[in-house]
Amino acid sequence: MQFDCGSFFKAVSDGTRIKIMKLLYGKEMCVSEICTHFKMKQPSISHHLSILKQAKIVTDRKDGKEVYYSLNKCCVSSCCQDFAGMFKNGDKKE
Amino acid sequence: MQFDCGSFFKAVSDGTRIKIMKLLYGKEMCVSEICTHFKMKQPSISHHLSILKQAKIVTDRKDGKEVYYSLNKCCVSSCCQDFAGMFKNGDKKE
DNA sequence: ATATCATATAGATTATTGTCTATATAATAT
DNA sequence: ATATTATATAGACAATAATCTATATGATAT
C-alpha cells in the first residue's frame, strides 16, 4: 500500500487540517499565507502541516525564505478508496 | 449530506474502532462477543461502539439481554466518496 | 557581520480522548 | 421479590494531541 491509511485518518480527523487541505485544494500556499486564514499562531500551523506531510497528504518545496505546501490529491483519493474497499458492501448489484 | 464526515473521520481515526468495524464487516455481533477480541474492558468497548453509532457507522438492535451491532457499510462508502470528491484530482483524464 | 524575515523545533501548558472502576438499567430466570 | 446476566452510564485517572511562548535555523538583504 502506497499510503498509510492509519496516519491518513488521524490526519484528517482534525478540523484545522481539513481546512488547510481545502485551502491547498485550489493552489499551493506558503506557511504565512496559510496562517492568515486562522486565528492560531504560526508554530501551530507548522505542526499541523508536519502531520499532513507525514501522512503524505501534502508536499512541500522551498523557495527562498518561504516554504510552499501543496495538496497531494492522489493520496486523498487512494486512501479513501482503499478504506472504502475494505468495507465494501457486497449486497448491492454491481 | 446524509452522513457527517466530521464525526466519521474522528470515529475512524482510532485503531480499536477500525478493528471493531472489521469484526462487524463479516457479521453482526453482540457486545460481549466483540469484547472477547480485545484486552480492554467492556465499558471501553461500549464507549467505542457509541462513538461508531453516533457517526452512523454501526447500528444496533436489542435481542433479549443482548445488543447486536452491525456495520452500516453504505455510510463508510458514502463518507469516503464524499470526502474524496471534495479533493478530487481534476488533472487526470476521465 | 548584522539585521530581518519565514519557518521549524523544543518544551510547557491546556484540552481532548481513552480506559478504568463502580454502579445503574433492563431483561430473564428462580 | 431476588439473583443473574448483558450492557450502558458516571466519574476518576491516564494518555494523547493541540496550542502557546521562546528560540533555533536558514535565507536574504544591508
Side-chain angles (χ1 to χ4, degrees):
Chain A
M1 199 174 288
Q2 193 177 358
F3 302 106
D4 175 13
C5 287
S7 65
F8 175 80
F9 285 114
K10 282 215 188 298
V12 299
S13 67
D14 179 85
T16 300
R17 291 192 289 266
I18 300 269
K19 190 174 165 188
I20 291 174
M21 289 169 68
K22 285 180 184 168
L23 288 171
L24 297 180
Y25 181 65
K27 62 169 194 299
E28 68 170 12
M29 279 173 126
C30 69
V31 179
S32 54
E33 191 179 359
I34 295 170
C35 285
T36 63
H37 293 83
F38 295 89
K39 279 173 300 189
M40 80 185 60
K41 296 298 166 61
Q42 171 269 316
S44 303
I45 297 295
S46 280
H47 177 241
H48 286 300
L49 286 168
S50 81
I51 289 169
L52 290 169
K53 184 180 167 183
Q54 207 186 288
K56 297 191 168 50
I57 293 172
V58 301
T59 54
D60 61 343
R61 75 176 175 85
K62 237 180 166 177
D63 182 12
K65 282 179 289 191
E66 276 109 56
V67 177
Y68 284 87
Y69 283 86
S70 38
L71 187 65
N72 183 6
K73 293 174 186 171
C74 87
C75 171
V76 177
S77 54
S78 277
C79 285
C80 286
Q81 214 171 300
D82 287 357
F83 190 75
M86 290 173 55
F87 300 104
K88 197 175 169 57
N89 187 347
D91 295 348
K92 290 280 161 60
K93 56 170 176 271
E94 292 296 325
Chain B
M1 199 173 291
Q2 191 177 0
F3 302 107
D4 174 13
C5 287
S7 65
F8 175 79
F9 285 114
K10 282 213 188 297
V12 300
S13 68
D14 179 83
T16 299
R17 293 192 287 267
I18 299 270
K19 191 174 164 186
I20 292 174
M21 289 169 69
K22 285 180 185 170
L23 288 170
L24 297 180
Y25 180 64
K27 62 170 194 298
E28 69 171 12
M29 279 173 125
C30 68
V31 179
S32 53
E33 191 179 358
I34 295 170
C35 284
T36 63
H37 294 84
F38 294 89
K39 280 173 297 188
M40 80 185 59
K41 297 297 167 59
Q42 172 269 316
S44 302
I45 296 295
S46 280
H47 177 241
H48 286 300
L49 286 167
S50 82
I51 289 169
L52 289 169
K53 184 180 168 183
Q54 207 187 287
K56 298 192 169 49
I57 294 172
V58 301
T59 55
D60 62 342
R61 73 176 177 84
K62 239 182 166 177
D63 181 13
K65 282 179 289 191
E66 275 109 56
V67 178
Y68 284 88
Y69 284 84
S70 37
L71 187 65
N72 183 7
K73 292 174 186 173
C74 87
C75 171
V76 178
S77 54
S78 278
C79 285
C80 285
Q81 215 171 298
D82 287 357
F83 190 74
M86 290 173 58
F87 300 104
K88 198 174 171 56
N89 188 347
D91 295 346
K92 288 281 162 59
K93 58 170 176 273
E94 292 296 323

